[in-house]
Amino acid sequence: MKVIEDIKTIMGKEHLKKQKINESLKKILIVEDDAILLEMYSDKFIKEGFGVITAENGKVGLEKVLNEKPDIILLDLMMPVMNGILMLRRLREFPQFKKLPVIILTNAGEVDNIKETKRYDNACEFLIKSNVSVDEIVEKVKFRLPAFTLIW
């Protein structure tokens, strides 16, 4: 494991992940139970100038929203402990988070999931993981945060 840590340090990833989130950065919460995808998305958003907060399930994600107050959420639906649909429903119970942009990013692309999530839980985008690239996801996030471009 030491070799992997050394490689990350050499490549700069370890430094990026340990830095404290600058308050002027737009914060994205990525809620994803697949560790490889979570790291890939995190690395990309850090490189794009975001402050990144991560959670491995909906329960942890909801706690982090309440404590960290992100500007946008990238949310998987199918997760252990608490799935994304339940997390989003509970999030929308808080008046201060009713309009918080949430982009659903999942492989569960059944039509019923899409309709139900958009109608009842006010998700602003519904993306199927296999149909979008990481760059496209970043562009969708930036589109939902127009003030992001003013920082740069």
Side-chain angles (χ1 to χ4, degrees), residues 116-135:
E116 186 175 342
T117 306
K118 282 185 177 181
R119 177 183 291 159
Y120 298 111
D121 304 313
N122 200 20
C124 58
E125 293 272 352
F126 195 102
L127 305 174
I128 307 300
K129 291 177 188 177
S130 59
N131 295 348
V132 293
S133 70
V134 179
D135 289 331

Side-chain angles (χ1 to χ4, degrees), residues 29 31-32 41 72-79 83-89 91-92 100-110 113-119 121-130 132 137 140-141 144:
L29 170 61
V31 187
E32 171 64 63
Y41 297 145
I72 192 165
I73 299 173
L74 195 59
L75 180 62
D76 186 16
L77 288 185
M78 306 304 288
M79 295 179 291
N83 67 37
I85 292 173
L86 185 55
M87 180 196 154
L88 187 53
R89 289 217 172 114
L91 176 72
R92 296 303 190 211
L100 179 66
V102 175
I103 296 176
I104 302 294
L105 184 63
T106 188
N107 283 326
E110 298 89 28
N113 276 346
I114 296 170
K115 286 180 183 176
E116 186 175 342
T117 306
K118 282 185 177 181
R119 177 183 291 159
D121 304 313
N122 200 20
C124 58
E125 293 272 352
F126 195 102
L127 305 174
I128 307 300
K129 291 177 188 177
S130 59
V132 293
I137 295 167
K140 294 280 188 185
V141 167
R144 294 293 172 181

Side-chain angles (χ1 to χ4, degrees), residues 8 26 60 65-67 72-73 87 107-108 117 130 152:
K8 285 184 177 181
K26 290 291 184 181
V60 174
V65 170
L66 297 173
N67 294 326
I72 192 165
I73 299 173
M87 180 196 154
N107 283 326
T117 306
S130 59
W152 303 97

Side-chain angles (χ1 to χ4, degrees), residues 4 8 11 13-14 17 30 32-47 52 54 134:
I4 293 172
K8 285 184 177 181
M11 295 177 69
K13 289 182 182 177
E14 198 64 27
K17 288 193 177 193
I30 305 170
E32 171 64 63
D33 65 321
D34 183 316
I36 294 170
L37 288 176
L38 185 61
E39 183 173 355
M40 179 182 67
Y41 297 145
S42 296
D43 291 346
K44 181 63 174 176
F45 279 101
I46 288 169
K47 287 177 184 170
V52 174
T54 61
V134 179

